[in-house]
Amino acid sequence: MLCTISVAQPVKEAPIKNPMLWADVPDPDVIRVGDTFYLVSTTMHLMPGAPVMASKDLKNWKTVSYIFDKLTDSPKYDLSFSLPLDQQKGEGVGTVYGRGQWATSLKFHNGKFWALLAPNEQGAMGDTYIFTAPKAEGPWTIHARMRHFHDATLFFDDDGTPYVFFGTGEMCQLTPDLKGVVEGSLRHYFQREKEETGLLEGTRVIKHRGTYYAMLISQAYSSGLNRREVCYRTKDLNGKWEKHVILESDFGGFRHLAQGTIVDTEEGDWYGIMFQDRGGVGRVLTLSPVRWIDGWPMLGDENYKVPEIMRPYKSGQPATSIVLPDDFDDTRLGLHWQWNHNPVDQAWSLTERPGFLRLKTSRVVPNLYLAPNTLTQRMEGPACSGYICMDLSKMKDGDCAGLAAFNGDSGVLTVKKNGKKLTLEMSEQKVTLTEREKAVTNVDEKIIETVDITKLVNTKQPKIWLRLDGEFRPGQRGGRDAANFFYSFDGGQWMQIGTKDYRMVFDYRRFFMGTKFGIFNYATKKTGGYVDVDFFKYQCEEK
């Protein structure tokens, strides 16, 4: 049964069901300020970036701000280079697919919010940023930039001394003004053990009852070991750290999960928030109780497993969501939307035709993966559906507009204008990127079905409705990540088109994120055309 999500509707007390957020919300850091929990996540090449979400009950979350609107250290962030690879030259060549903002750390200190992040890049593009804001809703401003710290966390000690923990067991002290590193303070606080043969990163640090705890994801490839969360602790930052596994649990038909943090409530209870790889939907968040056993924060139920259901931390909170429908009636774009790379600000509008999102073509590009101003939202499990209505009357020859299940492998509904002819195509598209520059070298486009819709041109209101249904049900072989595509001429009678049960995939070598709804319009011959999107209607199935 599909149910329309709405904002701020009173709900009866109901259990928290895992995944707590069944959407792509990786690399979480979570803090509590007063009675509100704040969560920050990774969104890489999507802009604005580093979303901050808020909740009173650890169940209902809403996006309240982004730490930055754009990153501007390179033209890569703008998708500016669309030349053939053999003609591309210069440091700005390529894209930031799968790069950009990673693993942001969020803290509250001396009445201010602080965020530390480092793009997964080399050179100046990989500098660590420190941002600050008077409140979680912003405005956020850049406080400092310094050398790259991989998967880092900012930490303030009881006396206010700031530290950065990063990489695999590395740490350093920052200057009191948080604008530099204290000379000579860089060191390893632990050395990798022989059994740690894979990843050991994603550090989060807290202090509890005089003891420091550093939590990291461990992806060991040794026999009998799985992805897990390990913890190092010490009472003296300059002393010896000891180690313990605090979570090693499969969940929901998928393999093991890890990477995240723990957070306390006003009453002194503790919860753990960790992400799990879930295929095409991305990396989802789970919530677990924390029990302090022998001084270790052990995550999970009495069997040390992530529970399917938890009692609500707090009842009576309004139902909110990080994925939302939109009638585009506001003059500002909602915080639930993100652009693919930096947008061209002059090429979209909510005011030129009130009640519509206008997407203009701004440069000629060869494919969807180099198209500016593709607007995205997450997809959600276990099943979701989104559809748009587009006015096609101002498309120009060579324009392509539509709705996609957008990822490195994409299922795409495209309206194409070719002379006076209009067609609707469902295609399967797969992008090839270079390893270093993430430059687009090829897009393999397989057209599955084409429908002639030229008759729309001769109507007074040439509109088309495009719909995408996604399903992410767990299964014995990793789950069902299926997308199905539909179109309509009146928004009531729907016709399916193209691939049935198109397989959505998660690929860490290219996009490194879950599949998104993508609304797009780009020019392949000449600029100047536009489409008007009337709304984005959205439904999700209750867990």
Side-chain angles (χ1 to χ4, degrees):
M1 181 67 180
L2 291 177
C3 62
T4 303
I5 285 185
S6 58
V7 182
Q9 297 297 316
V11 295
K12 296 180 180 180
E13 184 171 353
I16 299 174
K17 297 180 181 179
N18 274 317
M20 176 187 73
L21 286 175
W22 199 333
D24 193 40
V25 190
D27 307 332
D29 199 5
V30 185
I31 62 172
R32 179 183 57 82
V33 180
D35 66 349
T36 305
F37 300 93
Y38 295 99
L39 182 155
V40 66
S41 178
T42 293
T43 49
M44 299 183 189
H45 50 271
L46 301 181
M47 304 290 172
V52 179
M53 307 164 201
S55 174
K56 300 282 189 180
D57 59 2
L58 295 172
K59 176 184 178 183
N60 295 286
W61 295 86
K62 64 178 180 179
T63 304
V64 297
S65 71
Y66 290 92
I67 292 172
F68 58 87
D69 290 329
K70 296 182 179 181
L71 293 176
T72 57
D73 290 328
S74 167
K76 291 181 181 180
Y77 288 113
D78 301 324
L79 284 178
S80 294
F81 286 82
S82 56
L83 296 171
L85 186 64
D86 59 0
Q87 298 179 31
Q88 294 181 359
K89 297 179 181 180
E91 292 297 322
V93 170
T95 71
V96 291
Y97 283 121
R99 299 278 177 81
Q101 167 258 349
W102 275 38
T104 299
S105 170
L106 185 64
K107 298 295 178 184
F108 184 76
H109 177 68
N110 279 351
K112 291 183 178 181
F113 286 85
W114 298 86
L116 180 148
L117 65 91
N120 185 31
E121 292 279 3
Q122 306 207 357
M125 285 182 70
D127 282 356
T128 295
Y129 290 82
I130 295 180
F131 294 83
T132 189
K135 55 184 180 179
E137 293 78 9
W140 290 88
T141 57
I142 297 176
H143 177 80
R145 289 181 66 169
M146 59 190 70
R147 56 151 288 185
H148 178 82
F149 295 114
H150 175 67
D151 264 17
T153 191
L154 182 63
F155 173 74
F156 293 95
D157 210 342
D158 295 339
D159 62 0
T161 303
Y163 296 88
V164 174
F165 292 77
F166 63 100
T168 300
E170 297 177 85
M171 65 174 291
C172 64
Q173 183 178 334
L174 299 183
T175 55
D177 61 3
L178 276 80
K179 293 190 175 182
V181 177
V182 173
E183 186 175 354
S185 66
L186 181 63
R187 65 184 180 86
H188 276 84
Y189 61 97
F190 73 80
Q191 296 294 327
R192 180 193 291 269
E193 298 90 336
K194 291 182 179 180
E195 70 174 19
E196 297 293 356
T197 55
L199 295 175
L200 193 59
E201 58 185 11
T203 310
R204 297 294 183 228
V205 177
I206 66 150
K207 189 175 185 181
H208 177 58
R209 295 181 178 177
T211 299
Y212 303 88
Y213 296 88
M215 291 158 282
L216 300 90
I217 182 176
S218 167
Q219 178 68 72
Y221 300 123
S222 304
S223 177
L225 296 181
N226 297 291
R227 179 178 298 185
R228 61 225 175 118
E229 189 74 6
V230 298
C231 181
Y232 290 82
R233 73 179 183 187
T234 187
K235 290 187 176 294
D236 180 2
L237 285 180
N238 296 310
K240 184 178 179 180
W241 294 68
E242 54 182 337
K243 173 188 170 185
H244 195 65
V245 177
I246 59 172
L247 179 66
E248 189 169 4
S249 169
D250 55 6
F251 175 73
F254 291 81
R255 297 190 65 188
H256 299 78
L257 69 163
Q259 191 167 338
T261 190
I262 62 175
V263 64
D264 67 345
T265 69
E266 290 183 288
E267 295 78 17
D269 296 324
W270 286 79
Y271 290 88
I273 296 174
M274 300 283 161
F275 79 71
Q276 180 184 49
D277 287 52
R278 280 262 178 148
V281 75
R283 294 176 286 174
V284 305
L285 289 189
T286 64
L287 182 70
S288 297
V290 172
R291 295 174 297 151
W292 291 90
I293 300 175
D294 297 328
W296 293 103
M298 304 302 297
L299 279 71
D301 57 21
E302 63 277 7
N303 297 313
Y304 303 99
K305 299 295 183 182
V306 173
E308 293 186 4
I309 295 176
M310 295 182 60
R311 65 174 179 82
Y313 161 61
K314 184 181 292 186
S315 62
Q317 296 301 307
T320 56
S321 176
I322 60 173
V323 185
L324 295 170
D326 204 323
D327 289 329
F328 300 119
D329 290 332
D330 204 338
T331 57
R332 299 182 64 182
L333 197 62
L335 295 176
H336 42 286
W337 294 108
Q338 288 181 286
W339 302 100
N340 175 31
H341 288 63
N342 288 336
V344 179
D345 290 332
Q346 298 76 23
W348 69 276
S349 174
L350 290 168
T351 58
E352 291 183 14
R353 185 181 179 184
F356 289 78
L357 167 68
R358 177 162 291 176
L359 293 178
K360 309 174 189 179
T361 61
S362 56
R363 58 177 175 258
V364 174
V365 296
N367 55 65
L368 174 62
Y369 291 95
L370 289 168
N373 288 21
T374 295
L375 191 61
T376 74
Q377 278 208 71
R378 298 170 179 86
M379 299 181 75
E380 292 182 295
C384 62
S385 178
Y387 68 92
I388 61 174
C389 176
M390 287 199 308
D391 183 335
L392 312 175
S393 59
K394 299 300 181 181
M395 292 182 72
K396 289 187 176 295
D397 184 27
D399 286 1
C400 301
L403 179 68
F406 187 59
N407 212 328
D409 287 21
S410 296
V412 189
L413 278 178
T414 308
V415 175
K416 291 185 176 181
K417 183 77 176 290
N418 189 359
K420 294 183 178 180
K421 185 177 181 180
L422 274 178
T423 57
L424 173 65
E425 294 178 352
M426 187 276 157
S427 64
E428 299 178 0
Q429 300 187 23
K430 183 173 185 176
V431 67
T432 301
L433 305 172
T434 60
E435 187 70 23
R436 179 181 173 88
E437 300 88 359
K438 298 293 182 179
V440 176
T441 60
N442 184 61
V443 175
D444 180 18
E445 182 178 10
K446 181 181 178 182
I447 298 174
I448 306 301
E449 186 176 346
T450 302
V451 178
D452 188 339
I453 58 171
T454 306
K455 62 181 181 180
L456 288 182
V457 178
N458 300 319
T459 66
K460 292 183 179 180
Q461 293 183 320
K463 294 182 179 181
I464 192 168
W465 284 254
L466 304 176
R467 192 179 100 206
L468 167 59
D469 293 352
E471 190 174 351
F472 305 98
R473 300 188 190 280
Q476 293 181 348
R477 296 186 178 181
R480 170 183 167 83
D481 298 332
N484 285 281
F485 304 85
F486 306 83
Y487 69 99
S488 174
F489 297 123
D490 59 8
Q493 181 179 357
W494 293 95
M495 292 152 282
Q496 188 162 8
I497 181 173
T499 308
K500 293 185 178 181
D501 293 341
Y502 170 76
R503 178 74 175 181
M504 295 176 284
V505 298
F506 180 93
D507 176 35
Y508 76 96
R509 305 296 296 184
R510 292 174 296 157
F511 274 34
F512 208 178
M513 65 169 47
T515 306
K516 303 292 189 291
F517 291 104
I519 307 172
F520 62 89
N521 181 38
Y522 63 93
T524 64
K525 294 181 180 179
K526 57 184 177 182
T527 61
Y530 61 84
V531 295
D532 288 334
V533 183
D534 194 355
F535 50 72
F536 172 74
K537 300 297 184 182
Y538 179 72
Q539 296 177 312
C540 76
E541 181 179 322
E542 292 183 350
K543 290 186 287 184

